[in-house]
Amino acid sequence: GLIAPIGALAIPHVFGDGFEGAADPFSILVAAAMLLVIASAVAPIMMLYERTRATAAIGVAALVVNVVGDLLLVGVAGMGVDGPAIATTAAMAVMAGGYVVVARRGLGAGPRVNPLLFAPLVAGIVPTALGSEWLGLAGGLAATALALLLSPPFAAQDADLIRRLDLPRPLRERAARL
């Protein structure tokens, strides 16, 4: 979520004032990129369990959401360049959500989503997309701190496992302390 306000603030400085209009769709597409990372991380599980048909069906559903979203948001709602960014993000949500559901079924795992982990994304993107990059930056930082405080990435019993990971020593020691 912090990438959205940082990118929106940096775009005009890096590419020039003529690209200032790219900041809003960029901030929206940060969510699409995050959802693509989730889908990409889960895709090997789907391939391992030979869920090719489900993968194809989810891909077609995402394509339909993207195309119909483009038509409605640009053609009907007249949203300009933000419309395709929103449609792409919705398509990635369909893909990531579909992949996670199918993969969890394959693994025999029940649904378990911690909405708090999405708070930094929302807190960083929404204010930024509405034109307040500094509020997006502050919101993203606060939500990240809150998410890490209330849902730490490691438990005490993970310390021994972390110490055995093949990581550079300074990184491994910091992770173990967490």
Side-chain angles (χ1 to χ4, degrees):
L2 294 175
I3 293 171
I6 292 169
L9 288 166
I11 284 172
H13 299 290
V14 173
F15 298 106
D17 291 336
F19 285 87
E20 192 171 331
D24 284 346
F26 171 83
S27 64
I28 296 166
L29 288 170
V30 167
M34 187 272 315
L35 292 164
L36 180 60
V37 167
I38 291 171
S40 297
V42 175
I45 297 169
M46 296 190 48
M47 295 303 112
L48 177 68
Y49 285 96
E50 298 179 0
R51 301 294 194 257
T52 307
R53 186 177 305 171
T55 302
I58 293 165
V60 168
L63 171 69
V64 168
V65 166
N66 200 349
V67 171
V68 170
D70 285 344
L71 293 172
L72 292 175
L73 296 174
V74 176
V76 176
M79 292 186 71
V81 294
D82 288 350
I86 292 169
T88 298
T89 302
M92 289 298 102
V94 167
M95 185 173 287
Y99 280 15
V100 167
V101 167
V102 172
R104 289 186 74 81
R105 283 186 193 147
L107 293 169
R112 202 178 95 201
V113 176
N114 184 352
L116 179 63
L117 299 180
F118 290 94
L121 187 70
V122 174
I125 290 174
V126 171
T128 301
L130 295 174
S132 182
E133 294 87 358
W134 292 106
L135 183 58
L137 189 59
L141 284 169
T144 299
L146 183 65
L148 287 171
L149 180 68
L150 297 177
S151 186
F154 304 113
Q157 61 266 27
D158 297 331
D160 188 47
L161 173 68
I162 292 167
R163 285 188 189 93
R164 291 183 281 146
L165 291 176
D166 186 23
L167 295 171
R169 186 175 178 194
L171 180 61
R172 187 176 55 239
E173 289 173 357
R174 285 188 183 111
R177 281 190 298 240
L178 283 174

